[in-house]
Amino acid sequence: MRKAVIIGVGMTPVGEHWKTSLRDLAVEALLNAMEDANIDKVDSLYVGNMISGPFVEQENLGALIADWAGLGHIPAVKIEAACASGGAAVQEGAKAVMSGLEDVVAVVGVEKMTDVWPSDATRYLAYASDAEWELFHGASFVALNALVMRYYMHTYGYTEEDLALFAVNAHINGAKNPYAMFKKPIKVETVLKSPYIADPLKLFDASPVCDGAAAVIITTPEKAKELGIPKEKWVEIAGMGRAIDTINLANRKDLLTLKAAKVAAERAYKMAGVDVKDIDLFEIHDAFTIMAALSLEAVGAAERGKGAELAKEGQIAIDGDYPIQTMGGLKARGHPVGATGVYQTVEAALQLRGEAPNQVPDAEIALTQNIGGTGSNITVTILRRV
Amino acid sequence: MGKPMQVSRFWRHFKEKYRLVGSKCKKCGKIHFPPRQVCNECGSREMEEIQLSGRGKVISWTIVRNPPSGFEYYKPYPLALIELEEGPIILAQLTDVDPEEITFGMEVEMVTRKIREFNEDGIILYGYKFRPPIK
């Protein structure tokens, strides 16, 4: 198997881009990444997107984006794995390079969520639940996460205040990221005073509905050399893992373990030949504060039931032992669902290149973890400075 | 929300949604709801139908305040995970209950209620909800 390295990254700011279409967001991020890598053509395009059909009445995103980015008659497809679509697209792109089938691959993650009413956005997102048995009963993703949050708090004795610390940390870091949707630090009280959207989950426990696109260019070290890309810009995709769990939350064997993340992380660690102690920063999936706690447990940074302790001890800050969400995470950077996994990859790559606005000193290895559904479809990717 | 999908999408689940029929694995005995073709415990494909009692306990709950479109009329409404006495956990709305009175371990029983209406074509969906038992 060949090695795969990221040689270019690009993004659009995350926000409510009412004046910009899905295609323009995707093309902008993609061209930024190609410019960063100093290339003008690629062998193939993988588009991470969750739900463009209901949101903007457009599918066939492979053709749409490759066509409008002027990439010629290349193969191009959309990869869908709910909110983990971006993480899955990065892995599919890396697999194509590692297998030897393609030499230079572009991956773009894009989502345009603000062209519909909020209640419709809530409905479309819930298509990734077990819709017949969850959405049918009026369950939104927020509601499903709230059920887990209450159960977690009850089981381990945590308070709403404890979980709010994850949102506070995300906003502190997001404030320094020019591409983040929210660039303002918040206090615990801000979270606690925000309205309940599904008790005990509050507005500030949740990531926003938003738009955005991010892209990476992946190739082999040999090709990167041939293209004359300086080594400081290479970031190796060292480990990859992906797994599913029951799509229906009620059918989960253990409501408080993200088993899919656990399995995916084990696979990624094994492939990269590292363990959790080697990881310098974690870009995990904090679509809701409760998911940040469970994710830390699933990737091995904390024992079962101890994820929220890391926040209380200050270990998730940039200077802590387990820095997370260094560019704001889903909560403050924003969560354009199908694009999120690619944003995480871009942000981790910038950290490893030493170019992050909120730099983790001497970061060498980063982990990204991207959750689809209520923990039903999860990717874990390990990136390493070359 | 506009027109509903074909009515067949909804009536093919009458057994489960009106009568709470699940499946039981003939090999390992695991009981599933909703019913499955393949046991997610042992992988067996030998299943039989099982009538669930409809009695259970609340293990977690929430109050939905920003519902998906189609459910605006009902908001805010309580939604719960209920552990049925036969073992499976089921997601359902709670009904005939003051949200302030919901507690961990609260006993509930299944009732048939309206789930939602589609405005224009008038199709009405029914299904299970759970309430504190009538003594």
Side-chain angles (χ1 to χ4, degrees):
Chain A
M1 199 168 62
R2 308 196 297 181
K3 285 191 173 183
V5 291
I6 294 169
I7 53 164
V9 299
M11 299 184 270
T12 72
V14 178
E16 294 177 335
H17 293 292
W18 293 330
K19 288 182 176 172
T20 314
S21 65
L22 178 144
R23 86 177 67 193
D24 289 340
L25 286 169
V27 168
E28 184 185 330
L30 183 52
L31 296 182
N32 285 345
M34 291 175 70
E35 193 183 331
D36 185 43
N38 196 24
I39 56 169
D40 57 11
K41 58 181 187 202
V42 296
D43 295 336
S44 180
L45 173 71
Y46 295 84
V47 181
N49 172 269
M50 173 170 167
I51 199 161
S52 62
F55 269 122
V56 295
E57 301 187 325
Q58 178 71 60
E59 294 289 5
N60 197 7
L61 296 189
L64 176 82
I65 296 161
D67 172 12
W68 284 72
L71 298 181
H73 302 288
I74 61 164
V77 289
K78 162 173 164 171
I79 307 289
E80 187 267 315
C83 296
S85 299
V90 169
Q91 294 196 356
E92 289 305 315
K95 275 158 70 176
V97 168
M98 288 172 179
S99 73
L101 271 177
E102 293 163 357
D103 286 334
V104 184
V105 159
V107 178
V108 61
V110 61
E111 205 76 58
K112 182 85 183 76
M113 303 170 74
T114 62
D115 283 359
V116 302
W117 294 107
S119 62
D120 283 333
T122 302
R123 162 162 291 272
Y124 302 150
L125 289 168
Y127 290 174
S129 69
D130 189 344
E132 186 66 55
W133 306 98
E134 296 184 315
L135 175 56
F136 181 91
H137 294 281
S140 62
F141 261 116
V142 180
L144 294 170
N145 279 273
L147 290 165
V148 177
M149 181 173 167
R150 192 189 294 275
Y151 193 54
Y152 185 80
M153 287 163 52
H154 176 68
T155 305
Y156 299 115
Y158 290 117
T159 62
E160 293 176 24
E161 198 170 345
D162 296 335
L163 289 167
L165 294 170
F166 286 105
V168 172
N169 176 70
H171 275 258
I172 289 171
N173 294 343
K176 294 196 180 162
N177 176 7
Y179 292 89
M181 181 162 179
F182 303 121
K183 295 189 255 313
K184 201 179 157 194
I186 56 167
K187 293 180 174 160
V188 169
E189 296 77 59
T190 325
V191 183
L192 297 180
K193 278 184 191 159
S194 66
Y196 284 113
I197 47 178
D199 321 27
L201 201 153
K202 297 161 295 300
L203 185 64
F204 270 64
D205 284 303
S207 53
V209 166
C210 52
D211 312 318
V216 293
I217 309 296
I218 305 170
T219 187
T220 61
E222 293 74 22
K223 186 78 183 174
K225 211 171 181 183
E226 193 185 308
L227 290 166
I229 318 252
K231 236 179 172 177
E232 300 78 56
K233 274 197 149 175
W234 302 9
V235 173
E236 188 194 354
I237 298 175
M240 304 195 291
R242 202 150 89 211
I244 66 106
D245 203 340
T246 61
I247 186 164
N248 186 329
L249 177 68
N251 293 162
R252 210 61 58 79
K253 236 180 199 169
D254 173 0
L255 286 168
L256 298 182
T257 296
L258 290 175
K259 186 69 197 263
K262 220 171 169 169
V263 173
E266 278 161 14
R267 288 177 182 155
Y269 287 138
K270 193 175 170 205
M271 181 174 165
V274 300
D275 74 33
V276 68
K277 294 281 172 222
D278 302 315
I279 308 292
D280 297 310
L281 66 118
F282 299 78
E283 294 301 333
I284 57 174
H285 192 98
D286 61 336
F288 304 95
T289 50
I290 176 64
M291 283 299 133
L294 292 182
S295 296
L296 282 171
E297 296 171 20
V299 303
E303 282 173 34
R304 191 177 193 279
K306 302 276 190 200
E309 290 295 332
L310 292 187
K312 287 171 79 174
E313 293 164 3
Q315 297 205 43
I316 59 170
I318 294 286
D319 60 356
D321 282 348
Y322 299 97
I324 67 169
Q325 320 308 69
T326 65
M327 304 272 269
L330 286 60
K331 174 71 192 80
R333 172 236 295 129
H335 180 29
V337 286
T340 289
V342 186
Y343 271 99
Q344 292 177 321
T345 310
V346 169
E347 291 163 354
L350 290 174
Q351 283 281 359
L352 301 178
R353 280 160 46 164
E355 296 172 14
N358 216 359
Q359 187 65 42
V360 174
D362 300 320
E364 281 185 20
I365 303 177
L367 178 148
T368 66
Q369 176 246 16
N370 193 195
I371 305 180
T374 322
S376 62
N377 206 336
I378 302 185
T379 74
V380 173
T381 307
I382 292 168
L383 304 169
R384 183 158 47 199
R385 193 165 77 191
V386 176
Chain B
M1 278 301 288
K3 292 180 183 175
M5 262 188 214
Q6 288 277 68
V7 174
S8 58
R9 181 186 168 201
F10 300 110
W11 61 240
R12 67 180 173 235
H13 289 299
F14 277 178
K15 246 195 222 174
E16 300 95 314
K17 286 179 177 168
Y18 287 12
R19 294 202 284 114
L20 217 62
V21 170
S23 63
K24 182 176 180 182
C25 175
K26 286 185 182 175
K27 208 170 153 198
C28 76
K30 183 168 177 186
I31 297 168
H32 317 100
F33 188 86
R36 287 174 180 258
Q37 288 176 286
V38 182
C39 180
N40 65 348
E41 186 69 37
C42 73
S44 161
R45 296 178 189 185
E46 286 181 55
M47 293 291 159
E48 57 188 359
E49 286 188 354
I50 179 167
Q51 175 64 54
L52 299 164
S53 68
R55 285 187 295 273
K57 287 177 178 173
V58 170
I59 60 170
S60 193
W61 75 98
T62 183
I63 312 296
V64 182
R65 298 176 191 274
N66 294 65
S69 52
F71 288 87
E72 292 94 338
Y73 175 81
Y74 304 93
K75 78 173 180 181
Y77 50 88
L79 189 76
L81 288 170
I82 297 144
E83 187 169 6
L84 299 172
E85 64 181 9
E86 294 86 355
I89 295 173
I90 188 171
L91 174 97
Q93 284 187 32
L94 298 180
T95 183
D96 308 342
V97 64
D98 177 349
E100 298 294 319
E101 286 173 8
I102 305 169
T103 53
F104 290 102
M106 185 172 84
E107 287 183 21
V108 288
E109 66 182 7
M110 179 238 179
V111 284
T112 302
R113 288 285 187 273
K114 187 166 77 182
I115 302 292
R116 66 179 286 213
E117 290 178 14
F118 288 86
N119 40 15
E120 281 170 33
D121 297 63
I123 180 177
I124 301 175
L125 302 182
Y126 291 90
Y128 49 78
K129 292 189 184 181
F130 285 73
R131 69 172 178 200
I134 302 289
K135 301 237 162 92

